[in-house]
Amino acid sequence: MKIIAASKQNYSELIQIWESSVRATHHFLTENDIRTLRPLILEEYFKAVKLVCAKNSDDEIIGFCGISGNKLEMLFISPDYMRQGVGSSLCRHAIQVFGVTMVDVNEQNEKAIKFYKTIGFRIIGKSQFDGQGMPFPLLHMTLSQQS
C-alpha cells in the first residue's frame, strides 16, 4: 500500500469510496441524507481539504482522508479493505505528516469512535448537530499526549 496526495482527477473514485463506505458504516443516514450529502462532498468538501489516498498494489484507490489544518475532516475506506490497516495507515500519516490532532466523529458511528480511540484520540466534547445542522451528534476528539 502506498499513500499519496489525491487530486481533482481522483474525485470520481473518491466519491464512490465515500458512498460505499458511508453505506457500510453510517446506518443512521437515510437514502435522502446520502443523496443530499453526495454533491456537497463532491463539489465543496473535497475542495476544502488536503486529500490523501491509499492505493493498493494494483494502483487502485482503496481509501482516503481529508485534512484541514490540524483536523482530520474525513476518513473513508472501501468496504472491501476495511479492517485491513488502511484507515490506521491513513490516520497515522495524517498525524505524522500533517500534524493532525483533532477529529469529529458521529456519535452513532460506534465503530469509528472505537477506531479513533485505538489510534490514541480521546473525547473532549460533544455537539448535538453535525456540520450541516442535522441532528446527528458529533463527538469532538483530540489526540492524547502520549500518542
Side-chain angles (χ1 to χ4, degrees):
M1 176 175 55
K2 62 183 173 182
I3 297 177
I4 62 168
S7 68
K8 190 171 186 171
Q9 286 74 30
N10 303 119
Y11 282 11
S12 64
E13 291 171 90
L14 299 181
I15 199 68
Q16 289 174 6
I17 290 171
W18 172 83
E19 187 169 341
S20 63
S21 179
V22 164
R23 290 183 185 283
T25 60
H26 291 59
H27 304 292
F28 53 92
L29 293 177
T30 66
E31 189 63 33
N32 190 52
D33 293 330
I34 293 170
R35 274 195 308 271
T36 300
L37 284 169
R38 185 182 167 97
L40 290 172
I41 299 289
L42 192 56
E43 297 163 17
E44 294 179 33
Y45 299 164
F46 282 169
K47 294 175 190 172
V49 295
K50 289 179 192 148
L51 289 168
V52 177
C53 64
K55 290 188 169 189
N56 65 13
S57 59
D58 294 327
D59 211 36
E60 299 168 323
I61 297 175
I62 57 176
F64 71 93
C65 65
I67 303 142
S68 179
N70 69 337
K71 190 171 185 184
L72 186 65
E73 294 287 353
M74 56 181 79
L75 176 65
F76 295 98
I77 311 304
S78 171
D80 293 340
Y81 290 88
M82 287 180 178
R83 303 194 57 77
Q84 296 181 33
V86 178
S88 297
S89 294
L90 281 167
C91 196
R92 291 189 197 291
H93 181 84
I95 292 165
Q96 293 167 0
V97 175
F98 297 102
V100 162
T101 59
M102 307 287 293
V103 66
D104 289 342
V105 183
N106 289 103
E107 185 177 45
Q108 298 99 318
N109 193 343
E110 294 175 8
K111 288 181 181 176
I113 296 165
K114 183 178 177 184
F115 166 79
Y116 286 115
K117 284 182 176 179
T118 64
I119 297 290
F121 287 87
R122 62 183 171 84
I123 298 168
I124 58 166
K126 178 178 174 177
S127 298
Q128 291 301 318
F129 300 95
D130 70 8
Q132 292 77 41
M134 298 299 291
F136 302 121
L138 292 177
L139 297 179
H140 309 296
M141 301 181 81
T142 189
L143 197 58
S144 299
Q145 294 294 344
Q146 64 270 23
S147 296

Short mmCIF file of all heavy atoms in Angstrom, two decimals, residues 70 91-92 94-96 99-103 116-124 140-147:
data_model
loop_
_atom_site.label_atom_id
_atom_site.label_comp_id
_atom_site.label_asym_id
_atom_site.label_seq_id
_atom_site.Cartn_x
_atom_site.Cartn_y
_atom_site.Cartn_z
N ASN A 70 -5.10 21.24 11.57
CA ASN A 70 -4.72 20.09 12.40
C ASN A 70 -5.88 19.13 12.62
O ASN A 70 -5.86 18.32 13.53
CB ASN A 70 -4.16 20.56 13.75
CG ASN A 70 -5.23 21.18 14.64
OD1 ASN A 70 -6.26 21.64 14.16
ND2 ASN A 70 -4.98 21.20 15.92
N CYS A 91 -4.62 7.45 8.88
CA CYS A 91 -4.73 8.29 10.08
C CYS A 91 -3.35 8.61 10.64
O CYS A 91 -3.05 9.77 10.96
CB CYS A 91 -5.61 7.58 11.11
SG CYS A 91 -6.21 8.68 12.41
N ARG A 92 -2.50 7.62 10.75
CA ARG A 92 -1.14 7.85 11.26
C ARG A 92 -0.35 8.77 10.32
O ARG A 92 0.42 9.62 10.77
CB ARG A 92 -0.43 6.53 11.48
CG ARG A 92 -1.03 5.74 12.62
CD ARG A 92 -0.21 4.54 13.01
NE ARG A 92 -0.96 3.59 13.81
CZ ARG A 92 -1.37 3.77 15.05
NH1 ARG A 92 -1.13 4.91 15.66
NH2 ARG A 92 -2.05 2.83 15.70
N ALA A 94 -1.66 11.13 8.47
CA ALA A 94 -2.20 12.47 8.71
C ALA A 94 -1.61 13.08 10.00
O ALA A 94 -1.32 14.28 10.04
CB ALA A 94 -3.73 12.42 8.80
N ILE A 95 -1.44 12.26 11.01
CA ILE A 95 -0.86 12.73 12.27
C ILE A 95 0.61 13.09 12.09
O ILE A 95 1.06 14.17 12.47
CB ILE A 95 -1.03 11.65 13.37
CG1 ILE A 95 -2.51 11.49 13.73
CG2 ILE A 95 -0.19 11.98 14.60
CD1 ILE A 95 -2.83 10.22 14.53
N GLN A 96 1.37 12.20 11.47
CA GLN A 96 2.82 12.39 11.35
C GLN A 96 3.20 13.45 10.32
O GLN A 96 4.11 14.25 10.56
CB GLN A 96 3.49 11.06 11.00
CG GLN A 96 3.39 10.05 12.12
CD GLN A 96 3.75 8.63 11.69
OE1 GLN A 96 4.08 8.37 10.54
NE2 GLN A 96 3.66 7.70 12.62
N GLY A 99 0.35 16.83 11.04
CA GLY A 99 0.16 17.32 12.40
C GLY A 99 -1.27 17.27 12.91
O GLY A 99 -1.67 18.06 13.76
N VAL A 100 -2.05 16.33 12.40
CA VAL A 100 -3.44 16.20 12.84
C VAL A 100 -3.49 15.84 14.33
O VAL A 100 -2.77 14.97 14.80
CB VAL A 100 -4.17 15.12 12.00
CG1 VAL A 100 -5.46 14.65 12.68
CG2 VAL A 100 -4.47 15.66 10.62
N THR A 101 -4.35 16.56 15.05
CA THR A 101 -4.56 16.30 16.48
C THR A 101 -6.04 16.27 16.85
O THR A 101 -6.37 16.00 18.00
CB THR A 101 -3.87 17.37 17.35
OG1 THR A 101 -4.41 18.66 17.02
CG2 THR A 101 -2.36 17.38 17.16
N MET A 102 -6.92 16.57 15.90
CA MET A 102 -8.36 16.66 16.18
C MET A 102 -9.16 15.88 15.15
O MET A 102 -8.77 15.78 13.99
CB MET A 102 -8.82 18.13 16.15
CG MET A 102 -8.03 19.08 17.02
SD MET A 102 -8.36 18.90 18.76
CE MET A 102 -10.03 19.43 18.86
N VAL A 103 -10.33 15.38 15.59
CA VAL A 103 -11.28 14.75 14.68
C VAL A 103 -12.66 14.82 15.32
O VAL A 103 -12.78 14.80 16.55
CB VAL A 103 -10.89 13.27 14.37
CG1 VAL A 103 -10.98 12.39 15.60
CG2 VAL A 103 -11.72 12.70 13.24
N TYR A 116 -10.87 5.42 16.49
CA TYR A 116 -10.07 6.59 16.84
C TYR A 116 -9.47 6.47 18.24
O TYR A 116 -8.35 6.93 18.48
CB TYR A 116 -10.89 7.87 16.69
CG TYR A 116 -11.10 8.25 15.25
CD1 TYR A 116 -12.37 8.25 14.69
CD2 TYR A 116 -10.03 8.57 14.42
CE1 TYR A 116 -12.57 8.57 13.35
CE2 TYR A 116 -10.22 8.90 13.09
CZ TYR A 116 -11.49 8.90 12.56
OH TYR A 116 -11.68 9.22 11.24
N LYS A 117 -10.18 5.83 19.15
CA LYS A 117 -9.62 5.61 20.48
C LYS A 117 -8.39 4.71 20.41
O LYS A 117 -7.41 4.94 21.12
CB LYS A 117 -10.67 5.03 21.43
CG LYS A 117 -11.68 6.06 21.90
CD LYS A 117 -12.68 5.44 22.87
CE LYS A 117 -13.64 6.49 23.41
NZ LYS A 117 -14.63 5.89 24.34
N THR A 118 -8.42 3.70 19.54
CA THR A 118 -7.24 2.82 19.42
C THR A 118 -6.05 3.56 18.81
O THR A 118 -4.90 3.22 19.09
CB THR A 118 -7.53 1.55 18.60
OG1 THR A 118 -7.84 1.91 17.25
CG2 THR A 118 -8.66 0.74 19.20
N ILE A 119 -6.32 4.58 18.00
CA ILE A 119 -5.25 5.38 17.41
C ILE A 119 -4.64 6.29 18.49
O ILE A 119 -3.48 6.68 18.39
CB ILE A 119 -5.78 6.23 16.23
CG1 ILE A 119 -6.28 5.33 15.10
CG2 ILE A 119 -4.74 7.23 15.73
CD1 ILE A 119 -5.22 4.58 14.34
N GLY A 120 -5.42 6.63 19.51
CA GLY A 120 -4.92 7.50 20.57
C GLY A 120 -5.73 8.76 20.80
O GLY A 120 -5.31 9.64 21.55
N PHE A 121 -6.91 8.85 20.18
CA PHE A 121 -7.76 10.01 20.39
C PHE A 121 -8.64 9.78 21.62
O PHE A 121 -8.95 8.64 21.97
CB PHE A 121 -8.66 10.24 19.17
CG PHE A 121 -7.94 10.81 17.98
CD1 PHE A 121 -7.31 9.97 17.07
CD2 PHE A 121 -7.89 12.18 17.76
CE1 PHE A 121 -6.64 10.47 15.96
CE2 PHE A 121 -7.22 12.70 16.66
CZ PHE A 121 -6.60 11.84 15.76
N ARG A 122 -9.05 10.88 22.25
CA ARG A 122 -9.98 10.81 23.38
C ARG A 122 -11.05 11.87 23.18
O ARG A 122 -10.82 12.91 22.54
CB ARG A 122 -9.26 10.99 24.71
CG ARG A 122 -8.60 12.32 24.87
CD ARG A 122 -7.83 12.43 26.20
NE ARG A 122 -7.04 13.65 26.22
CZ ARG A 122 -7.50 14.84 26.57
NH1 ARG A 122 -8.75 14.99 26.95
NH2 ARG A 122 -6.72 15.90 26.55
N ILE A 123 -12.22 11.61 23.72
CA ILE A 123 -13.36 12.53 23.58
C ILE A 123 -13.16 13.72 24.52
O ILE A 123 -12.87 13.55 25.70
CB ILE A 123 -14.68 11.80 23.91
CG1 ILE A 123 -14.89 10.65 22.92
CG2 ILE A 123 -15.86 12.78 23.89
CD1 ILE A 123 -16.00 9.69 23.32
N ILE A 124 -13.35 14.91 23.96
CA ILE A 124 -13.23 16.13 24.77
C ILE A 124 -14.49 16.99 24.76
O ILE A 124 -14.58 17.97 25.48
CB ILE A 124 -12.02 16.99 24.34
CG1 ILE A 124 -12.15 17.38 22.86
CG2 ILE A 124 -10.72 16.26 24.63
CD1 ILE A 124 -11.21 18.49 22.43
N HIS A 140 -16.31 15.38 19.72
CA HIS A 140 -15.06 16.05 19.39
C HIS A 140 -13.95 15.29 20.10
O HIS A 140 -14.02 15.06 21.31
CB HIS A 140 -15.10 17.51 19.84
CG HIS A 140 -16.32 18.23 19.35
ND1 HIS A 140 -16.58 18.45 18.01
CD2 HIS A 140 -17.36 18.76 20.02
CE1 HIS A 140 -17.72 19.10 17.89
NE2 HIS A 140 -18.21 19.29 19.10
N MET A 141 -12.94 14.90 19.33
CA MET A 141 -11.85 14.10 19.89
C MET A 141 -10.51 14.79 19.63
O MET A 141 -10.35 15.48 18.61
CB MET A 141 -11.86 12.70 19.28
CG MET A 141 -13.16 11.94 19.51
SD MET A 141 -13.17 10.27 18.81
CE MET A 141 -12.27 9.37 20.09
N THR A 142 -9.58 14.58 20.55
CA THR A 142 -8.23 15.11 20.39
C THR A 142 -7.23 14.00 20.65
O THR A 142 -7.52 13.05 21.38
CB THR A 142 -7.98 16.31 21.34
OG1 THR A 142 -6.75 16.91 21.01
CG2 THR A 142 -7.96 15.88 22.80
N LEU A 143 -6.09 14.13 20.04
CA LEU A 143 -5.05 13.14 20.19
C LEU A 143 -4.46 13.25 21.60
O LEU A 143 -4.09 14.34 22.04
CB LEU A 143 -3.98 13.36 19.13
CG LEU A 143 -3.00 12.24 18.84
CD1 LEU A 143 -3.74 10.98 18.41
CD2 LEU A 143 -2.03 12.67 17.76
N SER A 144 -4.40 12.15 22.29
CA SER A 144 -3.82 12.13 23.63
C SER A 144 -2.34 12.45 23.56
O SER A 144 -1.67 12.13 22.59
CB SER A 144 -4.01 10.75 24.29
OG SER A 144 -5.39 10.46 24.41
N GLN A 145 -1.82 13.06 24.60
CA GLN A 145 -0.42 13.47 24.65
C GLN A 145 0.55 12.31 24.46
O GLN A 145 1.58 12.44 23.86
CB GLN A 145 -0.11 14.18 25.97
CG GLN A 145 -0.83 15.51 26.12
CD GLN A 145 -0.36 16.55 25.12
OE1 GLN A 145 0.68 16.43 24.49
NE2 GLN A 145 -1.15 17.60 24.96
N GLN A 146 0.22 11.14 25.04
CA GLN A 146 1.15 10.02 25.00
C GLN A 146 1.18 9.32 23.64
O GLN A 146 1.96 8.41 23.44
CB GLN A 146 0.83 8.99 26.10
CG GLN A 146 -0.51 8.31 25.95
CD GLN A 146 -1.64 9.03 26.66
OE1 GLN A 146 -1.59 10.23 26.92
NE2 GLN A 146 -2.69 8.30 26.99
N SER A 147 0.34 9.70 22.68
CA SER A 147 0.31 9.01 21.38
C SER A 147 1.47 9.41 20.51
O SER A 147 1.95 10.48 20.52
CB SER A 147 -1.00 9.31 20.66
OG SER A 147 -2.06 8.78 21.40
#
